[in-house]
Amino acid sequence: QVQLVESGGGVVQPGRSLRLSCAASGFTFSSYAMHWVRQTPGEGLEWVAVISYDGTNKYYADSVKGRFTISRDNSKNTLFLQMNSLRAEDTAVYYCARDIVPVAIRPAAFDIWGQGTMVTVSS
Amino acid sequence: QSVLTQPPSVSGAPGQRVTISCTGSSSNIGAGYDVHWYQQLPGTAPKVLIYGNINRPSGVPDRFSGSKSGTSASLAITGLQAEDEADYYCQSYDSSLSGWVFGGGTKVTVL
């Protein structure tokens, strides 16, 4: 069964750090680019970051550039999001999602999504 | 303010046809980038409904269809059913932002 399971969310004070994980199963993780997408409570979706299948290419939304780092461990089928200097506006449900097309990073759809993990930034 | 513009809500009676528009610009939809549509049921993660403008993943009913023209795209739902009550989002890629962009979402209500 193709599945993505996020973990690592929680409540954190502004300026602190948090690391999210996304465990993949049921498919060849190392063949797909992977994304993080977030959704603020009651609001819409915002793309956060993408990493290529082999980890060599990474791209970020302007809102998180310089603060967040996406990475992956293909030997453990796991995707990560290191979030530093967190702000109140980073409060959201964070989803990991798989590119619908394997190998290359392309402007394609996301076909598999995790259940999400909630991050709350508050003092 | 989302890069792609969707109506906040649409509604229809069971069996009716509803459409959801998604308006972009020359740096995203108008630049030729594909549009994708997602359905999000309450409390769940988004699910891809249409990819590459018109394609349905296996398991998605043919009541759902997508189209694209110029700087806009549309999602049509024919034979509206109670289970279609959900939020729907369009998505594309924006070359000016160098990233993926979403619409603000449209809540579909079945009367």
Side-chain angles (χ1 to χ4, degrees):
Chain A
Q1 178 187 2
V2 176
Q3 193 173 353
L4 297 171
V5 178
E6 300 94 338
S7 60
V11 180
V12 61
Q13 293 179 328
R16 303 298 291 265
S17 300
L18 206 59
R19 189 195 200 202
L20 305 183
S21 299
C22 169
S25 59
F27 67 98
T28 306
F29 178 70
S30 59
S31 293
Y32 290 83
M34 296 294 297
H35 301 257
W36 286 99
V37 178
R38 67 186 181 184
Q39 184 169 33
T40 51
E43 299 296 328
L45 299 164
E46 179 188 16
W47 172 76
V48 172
V50 63
I51 186 169
S52 59
Y53 71 100
D54 59 359
T56 55
N57 295 301
K58 306 173 186 181
Y59 303 98
Y60 301 90
D62 287 343
S63 58
V64 306
K65 201 172 293 181
R67 300 187 299 122
F68 289 12
T69 301
I70 188 171
S71 62
R72 65 191 299 161
D73 185 340
N74 284 345
S75 69
K76 297 183 178 178
N77 292 339
T78 305
L79 175 72
F80 302 101
L81 185 67
Q82 177 67 43
M83 304 185 294
N84 299 331
S85 303
L86 282 162
R87 306 167 179 168
E89 53 264 36
D90 295 319
T91 295
V93 174
Y94 284 74
Y95 296 99
C96 59
R98 187 185 83 168
D99 236 36
I100 199 169
V101 180
V103 185
I105 292 179
R106 298 179 186 176
F110 308 156
D111 67 337
I112 306 297
W113 296 64
Q115 85 288 351
T117 187
M118 183 70 203
V119 173
T120 302
V121 183
S122 173
S123 54
Chain B
Q1 192 81 353
S2 301
V3 173
L4 305 179
T5 301
Q6 299 179 233
S9 64
V10 299
S11 62
Q16 282 190 330
R17 178 180 187 269
V18 298
T19 61
I20 301 170
S21 61
C22 175
T23 302
S25 67
S26 58
S27 61
N28 42 68
I29 299 174
Y33 293 108
D34 285 343
V35 177
H36 321 292
W37 291 91
Y38 300 86
Q39 178 192 59
Q40 186 175 33
L41 298 169
T44 69
K47 165 193 165 185
V48 63
L49 210 56
I50 299 288
Y51 66 95
N53 306 314
I54 60 171
N55 303 294
R56 281 188 313 275
S58 61
V60 173
D62 58 7
R63 304 185 292 104
F64 296 92
S65 63
S67 64
K68 174 189 166 186
S69 178
T71 57
S72 296
S74 290
L75 173 72
I77 310 174
T78 57
L80 196 62
Q81 298 181 6
E83 66 216 48
D84 298 333
E85 273 209 349
D87 293 323
Y88 293 82
Y89 295 89
C90 61
Q91 179 206 18
S92 187
Y93 181 85
D94 192 285
S95 57
S96 295
L97 298 173
S98 298
W100 286 256
V101 291
F102 288 91
T106 298
K107 183 174 182 61
V108 169
T109 301
V110 181
L111 301 172

